[in-house]
Amino acid sequence: MKFRIGVIILFIFVAFPSVAQDFEIVPLGQMSPGTRMTFGVDPDDMGRAVGRVMTCDGKAVEGAVAVIYDGLHFYGAKSKKDGAYDVGANFGVHVIEVVAPGYRKYRGEADIPKGRETNLDIVLEPFFDGIADVKPQNNRVTCKGNTLTMSVNAKHPVYEGKSMLDVLRDVPMLTVVDGKFVVANNEELEFFLNGKPFRAPFAAALKFFGSIDAAKVKSVRIMTMGGGNTTWVSISYSE
């Protein structure tokens, strides 16, 4: 079933007991501001991915964000000073991405055991020498139910002289594959720029994103309803 902008949707999942976590989601686009969705996550179905984020020469990467996507929900955590991270997620084999400005995005699979943890160390490849010496004031990523929000630190040294397109490359679960944007394995996307629909062919979108100074980008928000349904990508920036 496709979910179209402009249609008010309300889902309430009540299958889980009161101990489950509940997330309230405010949809993007032209929906009513009062529209909300709640999703239940049963703690008994949770496991953990733990490990360290490092460079290829063994240096810890502080402030990197690890995000797991289980087909509907996003789960995320930031690495500590020693590179350690700990993400709780629904059990199963899921996509994991680890991002930090100045490093190439890591993408792989995390096999999350039910009620236990799995160890997964991540190696990030730097874009240039010396990035490990940059103070780790990275982007802030919040995962809440089926919504992922990245608040952009546009003053990060790696964004100097760069564009919005470079910032988008650091958004977890957003990639460019075979001449199209893909979010959380979904190609059914709708972009919004400062709350307004943005519809353009891929090449034109790339050119536009490449024309906006990275310093103007404030945040990027993703909301997904799962594979086959429209995923919304909302970008906030100074015009």
Side-chain angles (χ1 to χ4, degrees):
M1 178 183 293
K2 302 266 187 187
F3 291 85
R4 300 295 185 187
I5 297 296
V7 179
I8 298 176
I9 308 169
L10 177 62
F11 283 148
I12 301 179
F13 288 2
V14 293
F16 300 126
S18 59
V19 294
Q21 295 174 275
D22 288 327
F23 301 103
E24 287 192 342
I25 309 301
V26 180
L28 305 175
Q30 307 301 317
M31 295 182 178
S32 165
T35 302
R36 294 181 296 183
M37 305 181 207
T38 57
F39 295 86
V41 179
D42 190 342
D44 292 337
D45 288 336
M46 302 288 283
R48 311 197 73 79
V50 302
R52 294 182 66 217
V53 184
M54 303 169 292
T55 61
C56 55
D57 56 359
K59 293 182 179 179
V61 179
E62 180 182 357
V65 175
V67 174
I68 293 175
Y69 175 66
D70 68 2
L72 181 60
H73 299 92
F74 296 105
Y75 308 88
K78 183 181 291 187
S79 64
K80 298 178 181 179
K81 190 172 183 177
D82 62 354
Y85 75 94
D86 184 339
V87 183
N90 273 333
F91 76 95
V93 179
H94 307 310
V95 175
I96 182 171
E97 288 194 356
V98 181
V99 299
Y103 295 87
R104 299 188 189 280
K105 183 183 297 183
Y106 171 90
R107 181 180 177 87
E109 287 186 343
D111 190 352
I112 307 297
K114 190 173 183 178
R116 296 181 291 112
E117 64 182 39
T118 186
N119 190 84
L120 182 60
D121 291 334
I122 306 295
V123 175
L124 294 184
E125 179 185 351
F127 276 118
F128 55 87
D129 293 335
I131 182 60
D133 298 323
V134 175
K135 192 174 181 180
Q137 295 177 337
N138 297 334
N139 302 321
R140 182 167 58 87
V141 177
T142 303
C143 298
K144 206 167 186 180
N146 67 338
T147 302
L148 179 153
T149 304
M150 186 175 86
S151 299
V152 180
N153 176 17
K155 294 182 179 180
H156 195 290
V158 302
Y159 292 140
E160 185 176 354
K162 301 297 184 178
S163 70
M164 178 186 289
L165 185 59
D166 295 290
V167 175
L168 292 178
R169 290 193 178 103
D170 285 335
V171 178
M173 300 297 161
L174 190 157
T175 55
V176 176
V177 180
D178 297 330
K180 54 197 167 194
F181 291 101
V182 179
V183 174
N185 297 327
N186 195 349
E187 300 173 10
E188 295 289 334
L189 309 182
E190 289 201 29
F191 280 87
F192 290 79
L193 299 181
N194 290 337
K196 300 176 182 178
F198 175 75
R199 299 181 178 92
F202 176 75
L206 279 185
K207 185 175 181 179
F208 177 81
F209 293 147
S211 71
I212 304 298
D213 192 333
K216 294 184 176 182
V217 185
K218 298 178 181 178
S219 66
V220 181
R221 184 169 182 247
I222 295 172
M223 191 185 84
T224 177
M225 294 301 297
N229 298 306
T230 299
T231 292
W232 294 283
V233 181
S234 179
I235 305 170
S236 174
Y237 72 103
S238 300
E239 299 187 60

